[in-house]
Amino acid sequence: MKVFITAVSVFFTRWFHKRNIIIVSERKVKHIPIGGSVQFLALLLSIGAVSWASYSTGSFIAARSALKEQGQALRSVTNAHIENSFSTVYQATVHNKASVDIGPYKHTAPNVSLDGPIAALSALDNAKLVARITLLESKVIELKSTNEAIVQRVQDKTSGKMEDLESIIKHTGLNLNDLKKQYSDVKPEKPKHPHAPSEGGPYIPADTVLLTPQAKEMLSGLDDLSVLTSIVSNLPLSRPIKNAEEQSVFGHRIDPFNGHLAFHTGLDLAGPVGSKIYSAADGKVISAGRNGGYGNAIDIDHGFGIATRYAHLSQILVHDGQEVKKGDIIGIQGSTGRSTGPHLHYEVRYHDQPMNPKNFLEAKQNVSEE
């Protein structure tokens, strides 16, 4: 039991750790923390909403079909019984008797009229059936309306969030379609926890379950949102140094050593002496050491072909192959290599091609993490 509780705790901590919603206005940045329990509850509510929509839609169709068949069968039996009864009564009236076959015997009764009782019973049965059908239809309509409202709210929120994320990617200068293709090409294998329960069964895509077109559209939107969220979470949008001034921007400039026109592949940020350097996003250190004119430099791979470079450091605090998180301290500002004074030379590279780091730093203004 203790092992199971530990496994559940590890799983919950890994997937539902604390996150922040960052809301940026023109003059104010607000951080709203969201705990793991709230995230877990939100996930349960989303799953419940989808399951409710699927169940209600299936129940509606099944109920309509069953009630329709039942109604047809009852009407057929009732009509046949009434027609046969009228025929019997008519014959009894003519011959002043009513004969009814019961197995091999025949019972003869005096003249009697069955029109009233049979008609009353038939009308009563039909009235009950109509009332029952009407009640079920009203409940189905009510459930359908509720489900449609839930799906619409989810779609509205999903659409707005997707627009924000797409705007962020566009501002960085990256190609969204290329990033999506890279995402679909990656097939990560999820390691099995030693204490995880055994599971199995055939794979049945969610879109094969009986769903309304609106519900299918909602699920598709959630899939797209998941892809965009994963991509944006890997982008280096955080500032690598605090309280720093821009000294030299990305692009063409006059070289500070020989006075010739040159191309500057990064952004120079100068902070106070001894300023700490932070990883701009989660990633893996692919190089940490001396790198020619860069001096002491660190390269971090963030996935999707995106990497960042931190150069001219006085100290390197990470090593090759080390996994780092956004905001981890990786070095100290310095003036090693081809440098005129203490500062950080910061680069963002996409498939080893330099991109303007300022676009990534400015794109963060539109981020609202969950």
Side-chain angles (χ1 to χ4, degrees):
M1 184 63 181
K2 183 177 181 181
V3 173
F4 175 77
I5 294 175
T6 302
V8 172
S9 177
V10 170
F11 175 84
F12 188 87
T13 303
R14 179 180 179 186
W15 293 103
F16 301 99
H17 56 82
K18 183 178 180 182
R19 291 181 168 87
N20 288 323
I21 294 180
I22 303 175
I23 301 177
V24 181
S25 62
E26 292 183 358
R27 299 182 180 180
K28 186 177 180 181
V29 177
K30 186 176 181 181
H31 295 255
I32 301 177
I34 295 183
S37 59
V38 176
Q39 300 172 44
F40 182 69
L41 178 60
L43 177 61
L44 290 180
L45 290 175
S46 299
I47 295 175
V50 174
S51 301
W52 188 13
S54 303
Y55 174 78
S56 300
T57 304
S59 299
F60 170 73
I61 295 176
R64 287 293 297 273
S65 177
L67 289 172
K68 182 178 180 180
E69 292 179 0
Q70 183 181 14
Q72 291 176 347
L74 287 173
R75 283 193 294 271
S76 176
V77 172
T78 301
N79 292 336
H81 180 66
I82 292 175
E83 181 179 353
N84 183 60
S85 298
F86 276 129
S87 177
T88 302
V89 171
Y90 176 77
Q91 293 177 8
T93 302
V94 174
H95 297 93
N96 197 28
K97 65 180 181 178
S99 299
V100 181
D101 290 332
I102 306 176
Y105 304 99
K106 178 176 289 187
H107 174 70
T108 303
N111 185 20
V112 59
S113 176
L114 300 179
D115 293 354
I118 292 175
L121 289 175
S122 177
L124 181 61
D125 289 341
N126 287 336
K128 288 181 178 180
L129 178 60
V130 171
R132 181 62 177 169
I133 293 175
T134 301
L135 176 62
L136 290 175
E137 286 184 339
S138 66
K139 288 184 177 181
V140 169
I141 293 173
E142 181 180 354
L143 287 174
K144 182 180 178 182
S145 177
T146 302
N147 291 339
E148 288 177 349
I150 293 174
V151 171
Q152 186 61 50
R153 285 199 297 270
V154 173
Q155 283 182 316
D156 292 341
K157 291 185 178 180
T158 300
S159 177
K161 183 65 175 177
M162 287 176 61
E163 290 178 0
D164 290 342
L165 296 176
E166 289 175 352
S167 176
I168 291 170
I169 296 174
K170 181 179 180 180
H171 194 88
T172 64
L174 295 169
N175 187 295
L176 176 58
N177 292 330
D178 289 345
L179 293 176
K180 284 184 175 180
K181 185 178 185 304
Q182 291 182 69
Y183 182 91
S184 63
D185 291 341
V186 174
K187 307 293 183 182
E189 294 186 1
K190 182 179 179 181
K192 179 178 174 60
H193 193 278
H195 302 296
S198 299
E199 300 174 328
Y203 170 69
I204 302 176
D207 56 5
T208 62
V209 181
L210 185 60
L211 296 174
T212 63
Q214 191 179 24
K216 289 182 179 180
E217 184 179 350
M218 179 194 70
L219 291 177
S220 177
L222 290 174
D223 288 340
D224 291 341
L225 177 60
S226 176
V227 172
L228 289 173
T229 301
S230 179
I231 292 174
V232 171
S233 67
N234 283 51
L235 299 181
L237 305 178
S238 296
R239 295 187 70 84
I241 184 173
K242 298 178 181 179
N243 303 320
E245 296 181 358
E246 294 182 5
Q247 299 294 321
S248 184
V249 297
F250 177 87
H252 290 91
R253 69 171 183 179
I254 300 299
D255 186 82
F257 288 93
N258 58 30
H260 296 164
L261 182 65
F263 187 82
H264 190 224
T265 56
L267 176 65
D268 288 345
L269 300 168
V273 176
S275 292
K276 297 174 181 178
I277 307 303
Y278 304 89
S279 175
D282 295 356
K284 182 178 182 180
V285 177
I286 53 179
S287 176
R290 198 74 181 182
N291 187 2
Y294 288 107
N296 294 329
I298 300 171
D299 287 1
I300 299 179
D301 178 18
H302 303 289
F304 301 103
I306 302 170
T308 51
R309 176 169 294 168
Y310 314 78
H312 304 317
L313 306 177
S314 62
Q315 295 182 49
I316 294 177
L317 304 179
V318 292
H319 56 80
D320 291 2
Q322 181 176 337
E323 299 283 347
V324 294
K325 295 292 184 180
K326 180 179 68 175
D328 284 354
I329 300 173
I330 59 176
I332 304 297
Q333 175 186 264
S335 185
T336 58
R338 200 169 184 267
S339 171
T340 60
H343 71 282
L344 170 69
H345 174 86
Y346 176 60
E347 292 186 10
V348 177
R349 307 182 76 89
Y350 181 59
H351 294 298
D352 206 31
Q353 296 299 313
M355 302 190 71
N356 191 344
K358 195 169 183 178
N359 291 340
F360 287 80
L361 299 181
E362 291 176 346
K364 183 182 177 182
Q365 298 175 4
N366 299 321
V367 174
S368 59
E369 297 181 353
E370 294 185 359

